[in-house]
Amino acid sequence: MAWSKLALLLVLLLCTVDASAKEKSGGKKGKKGKKVICPSQLSAEDLDRVPGNSTSNILNRLLVTYDSRIRPNFQGIPVEDKVNIFINSFGSIQETTMDYRVNIFLRQRWNDPRLRLPTDFKSDALTVDPKMFQCLWKPDLFFANEKNANFHDVTQENLLLFIYRNGDVLISMRLSITLSCPLDLRLFPMDTQLCKIQLESYGYTTKDLVFMWQSGDPVQMDEIALPQFDVKQEDIKYSNCTKFYAGTGYYTCVEVIFTLRRQVGFYLMGVYAPTLLIVVLSWLSFWINPDASAARVPLGILSVLSLSSECTSLASELPKVSYVKAIDVWMIACLLYGFGSLVEYAVVQVMLNSPKRIEAEKARMAKKEKEKEKEAKKTPSKTPNTINGTGGTPIHVSTLQVVETRCKKVCTSKSDLRSNDFSIVGSLPRDFELSNFDCYGKPIEVNNGLGKSKNKNNKKPPPAKPVIPSAAKRVDLYARALFPFTFLFFNVIYWSVYL
């Protein structure tokens, strides 16, 4: 008994939920797609209730016998549908998906003799509720290169419907459309793209319906600023794109072509300038000492890694096309120059560590030193060798100072030393003059011309400098000129071709 009651409660609960869901869905449908009752579906009694002198009665008389399933001039001349577009906004081009988005007012105007206003209607045009659009025949226009589209219904359906006295029908609707635009990126980012909007008939052949652009400027737009492109009113072109499909025939089609010129400023500041500086930075290694590998190798590797990172980030923003783009040529050239600086240092290192080249360099340096010594011996000394011009025993100035010190310790005439008269030096024994010991047998310091003692020569000599072959220096010297000049030549060719 308890189980049966529980099952009954569950059934009642499910029925309640189902009913509420249907109510909600029905409410939504009624809000968006409420069925419109056309005058041709009204009964005679309903038509009689409308006052005879009212606009509603005129509209009822026009549509009471109207059949929206049949086109105007049936089995006669084709209907001419004049189209024009007003562009509210123009979205940026997406290179990865090759499409763009626009928000437009699409306007169509055609003549339907069945909708001529009666003579008792005073106005030249009748503004009709957009819901009555469902009661009229309309061209089956669609966008041939459309990817996604939607109508706008906030706060009401963005739809306008006019009926003119001569039977012309004008409709205007607001649409947001995503359109495909095949891009040719061979000149990217100095490229110019042509993007189209194609309006085509889906079911009516050219025997029944013909699209044509309205005279004047059929596509109007305010001044539009795109992030990367320039689009101008004078660059818009119009053409006929009527298509033939085997088995069904010719279908009318018109298209508008936008010429979009890319602004290269963003890529100059974001790609070209940084990569140019990185390449120049890699050349600094040519001025660093060849044996400073701790400085040169990281500089070259950093340059190559930075350029590789820039190439990767740029490739992620562009479609994977099979041809080479202009910016690819630039990035490849920069990578080659960065890699070339590393290869250049590898060549320098090979020469730097070559035993044959090191021995040859040492021999060359020794030969040069010998030549200098020979030249020094051949050159006569310009320093006078006599003391006070007396023609005494030649002696060096530093030796003279030693003699003076020693003479002070010897029992000689102190008055002569105070007066700096060194004429007595010539009378001293030669071995006494050149000895490094004083009269008491203690060693003395003999100073050179700079005032430094000879005892300092006993210190350890500084470590010998590494021998750098002249061939390695020549490679760096040639690279300093070759890399900048070839890169400059590449820039001249690159910008003259792609600009």
Side-chain angles (χ1 to χ4, degrees):
M1 189 70 180
W3 287 105
S4 61
K5 285 183 179 180
L6 183 60
L8 184 60
L9 285 173
L10 287 172
V11 170
L12 288 173
L13 183 61
L14 289 172
C15 291
T16 306
V17 172
D18 190 36
S20 62
K22 284 183 179 179
E23 240 176 70
K24 287 180 182 178
S25 62
K28 286 181 182 178
K29 285 182 182 178
K31 184 178 179 181
K32 287 194 175 181
K34 188 177 180 180
K35 188 177 180 181
V36 177
I37 299 176
C38 298
S40 59
Q41 298 173 339
L42 296 175
S43 63
E45 295 177 357
D46 293 333
L47 293 172
D48 291 339
R49 293 194 191 100
V50 179
N53 58 350
S54 65
T55 305
S56 298
N57 185 43
I58 294 173
L59 188 59
N60 287 340
R61 281 187 290 165
L62 289 174
L63 299 177
V64 69
T65 58
Y66 189 90
D67 192 349
S68 61
R69 298 171 298 176
I70 301 174
R71 72 168 181 89
N73 307 319
F74 183 67
Q75 293 184 343
I77 60 173
V79 178
E80 293 182 353
D81 185 10
K82 297 179 181 179
V83 184
N84 77 86
I85 295 172
F86 181 84
I87 299 177
N88 290 319
S89 63
F90 203 113
S92 59
I93 308 294
Q94 301 295 327
E95 284 84 5
T96 52
T97 55
M98 292 195 179
D99 57 28
Y100 67 103
R101 190 168 179 83
V102 291
N103 183 278
I104 64 172
F105 292 148
L106 174 64
R107 301 179 184 130
Q108 301 178 72
R109 184 165 181 164
W110 68 94
N111 184 267
D112 193 341
R114 296 171 294 178
L115 296 176
R116 287 195 180 100
L117 297 178
T119 55
D120 56 345
F121 185 73
K122 297 179 181 179
S123 180
D124 290 334
L126 176 62
T127 304
V128 183
D129 189 334
K131 295 176 183 177
M132 295 302 297
F133 180 66
Q134 300 178 19
C135 301
L136 303 178
W137 177 91
K138 52 268 186 189
D140 58 344
L141 181 146
F142 77 101
F143 294 91
N145 59 330
E146 170 257 328
K147 285 187 174 182
N148 187 22
N150 61 281
F151 291 94
H152 293 268
D153 56 0
V154 178
T155 57
Q156 293 290 329
E157 285 187 85
N158 297 170
L159 188 66
L160 174 71
L161 178 59
F162 283 165
I163 298 177
Y164 292 91
R165 180 174 293 278
N166 63 347
D168 281 359
V169 180
L170 172 67
I171 61 168
S172 177
M173 59 186 70
R174 182 169 171 242
L175 305 170
S176 289
I177 317 167
T178 301
L179 300 160
S180 67
C181 179
L183 304 177
D184 185 1
L185 299 173
R186 286 181 174 86
L187 299 178
F188 178 88
M190 284 78 70
D191 55 331
T192 298
Q193 302 297 337
L194 300 177
C195 293
K196 303 177 181 179
I197 299 180
Q198 291 185 334
L199 294 80
E200 186 179 345
S201 171
Y202 189 82
Y204 291 104
T205 63
T206 51
K207 295 179 180 179
D208 296 317
L209 179 63
V210 175
F211 289 146
M212 58 181 63
W213 290 112
Q214 185 180 343
S215 58
D217 288 330
V219 177
Q220 305 97 30
M221 63 180 179
D222 291 332
E223 196 166 329
I224 296 174
L226 296 180
Q228 294 186 28
F229 291 91
D230 282 331
V231 54
K232 298 179 181 179
Q233 179 76 41
E234 55 267 22
D235 293 334
I236 298 176
K237 298 178 182 179
Y238 310 95
S239 64
N240 188 297
C241 56
T242 298
K243 300 175 182 177
F244 174 77
Y245 297 96
T248 54
Y250 290 92
Y251 290 84
T252 182
C253 175
V254 291
E255 66 181 5
V256 55
I257 304 171
F258 301 99
T259 303
L260 305 173
R261 293 181 175 84
R262 193 184 300 273
Q263 300 173 359
V264 74
F266 170 79
Y267 291 95
L268 282 176
M269 300 301 296
V271 177
Y272 286 98
T275 51
L276 175 64
L277 292 177
I278 292 171
V279 170
V280 174
L281 181 66
S282 69
W283 298 342
L284 295 181
S285 63
F286 303 150
W287 278 265
I288 300 176
N289 202 24
D291 61 338
S293 58
R296 293 187 66 161
V297 173
L299 188 60
I301 293 175
L302 180 64
S303 302
V304 173
L305 289 179
S306 300
L307 291 169
S308 301
S309 175
E310 187 68 30
C311 288
T312 305
S313 63
L314 190 64
S316 64
E317 299 173 2
L318 297 174
K320 297 175 177 62
V321 293
S322 58
Y323 48 82
V324 178
K325 302 179 287 293
I327 202 165
D328 294 337
V329 175
W330 174 268
M331 297 304 298
I332 291 170
C334 290
L335 270 173
L336 288 176
Y337 274 95
F339 183 72
S341 65
L342 276 177
V343 173
E344 186 270 348
Y345 184 61
V347 174
V348 170
Q349 275 294 316
V350 170
M351 294 181 176
L352 201 63
N353 297 321
S354 174
K356 291 183 179 179
R357 294 182 185 275
I358 292 175
E359 292 300 326
E361 184 66 21
K362 285 181 178 179
R364 191 185 66 81
M365 292 173 66
K367 185 178 179 182
K368 192 174 182 181
E369 287 294 329
K370 288 181 181 179
E371 290 178 355
K372 284 184 179 180
E373 289 178 1
K374 288 181 181 179
E375 289 179 2
K377 288 180 180 180
K378 290 178 182 179
T379 305
S381 176
K382 296 180 180 179
T383 307
N385 294 327
T386 59
I387 304 298
N388 292 334
T390 58
T393 304
I395 191 167
H396 194 267
V397 176
S398 61
T399 309
L400 181 61
Q401 293 175 356
V402 175
V403 170
E404 179 187 0
T405 305
R406 293 165 61 188
C407 288
K408 286 180 181 179
K409 297 180 180 180
V410 182
C411 298
T412 57
S413 177
K414 293 183 179 179
S415 60
D416 294 335
L417 293 174
R418 288 193 191 97
S419 61
N420 295 330
D421 187 0
F422 301 110
S423 58
I424 61 171
V425 175
S427 61
L428 294 175
R430 185 172 184 81
D431 58 341
F432 179 80
E433 294 176 15
L434 301 178
S435 175
N436 292 333
F437 298 91
D438 61 10
C439 57
Y440 299 102
K442 295 181 180 180
I444 61 172
E445 292 183 353
V446 180
N447 297 330
N448 55 16
L450 298 176
K452 294 182 180 180
S453 65
K454 289 186 177 180
N455 288 339
K456 291 186 179 179
N457 294 332
N458 297 328
K459 291 184 178 180
K460 292 183 180 180
K465 293 183 180 180
V467 178
I468 300 175
S470 57
K473 295 179 180 179
R474 281 199 302 271
V475 171
D476 274 345
L477 189 64
Y478 295 152
R480 292 173 194 174
L482 183 64
F483 276 70
F485 279 112
T486 54
F487 192 67
L488 178 63
F489 179 73
F490 164 74
N491 272 266
V492 171
I493 299 297
Y494 180 85
W495 295 108
S496 60
V497 169
Y498 287 110
L499 277 183

